[in-house]
Amino acid sequence: MDDDAARTSGQSAAAAGGRAADVMLRLIEAADASKVYAAPIQHGETLLIPAAEVLAVAGFGIGAGTGSGPDSSGRPRAGGGGGGGGGGRTLARGVAVIVSSPDGVRVEPVVDVTKIALAALTAAGFVWAAWRGASRGMRLFGRG
């Protein structure tokens, strides 16, 4: 491989690595522990501090390669290339409110009714599917 192809391949891999590092840094900043507690809210003698659950996930890959061999007319050729890709997601949801008042401090959970309903429907679907599969098996083997 010639020096130009090697340099181009190395530059491409370095650029892909730099982009992957940028994505990782942004995700780490988004999932920082300071994002868990929001700014306190004063209401009379009561202080409210919202609390959240923060989750960050990421994945990426980079690669580079070089090669040499004859082209379709039999002349020797050398080449190289590289690249990368990746992405991530940051999720946050309120989970509680810390309430500080003259009566004391307490933590009030945030109830996500939609999430509970979806979990219940999913569980019911699995139970129904298991029951249906079991009843079909019983009929198949003459036990039902």
Side-chain angles (χ1 to χ4, degrees):
M1 173 163 74
D2 63 14
D3 288 338
D4 288 337
R7 188 172 28 259
T8 301
S9 179
Q11 289 169 346
S12 178
R19 286 190 300 273
D22 289 342
V23 169
M24 289 301 294
L25 286 174
R26 285 198 314 246
L27 283 169
I28 289 169
E29 288 171 2
D32 188 272
S34 66
K35 307 294 191 249
V36 173
Y37 298 103
I41 302 164
Q42 186 76 42
H43 183 71
E45 293 184 342
T46 303
L47 182 68
L48 305 172
I49 304 171
E53 172 183 63
V54 180
L55 172 69
V57 294
F60 63 92
I62 58 173
T66 60
S68 62
D71 65 8
S72 59
S73 64
R75 294 178 295 195
R77 295 282 185 186
R89 172 106 180 167
T90 304
L91 306 167
R93 68 180 190 93
V95 294
V97 177
I98 301 165
V99 181
S100 175
S101 68
D103 298 332
V105 177
R106 66 185 190 280
V107 177
E108 296 289 335
V110 174
V111 179
D112 187 347
V113 177
T114 303
K115 191 171 188 176
I116 293 170
L118 288 173
L121 288 171
T122 301
F126 277 111
V127 168
W128 177 80
W131 173 79
R132 184 175 165 119
S135 65
R136 282 185 175 176
M138 301 269 278
R139 283 195 303 264
L140 183 65
F141 294 108
R143 294 186 184 144

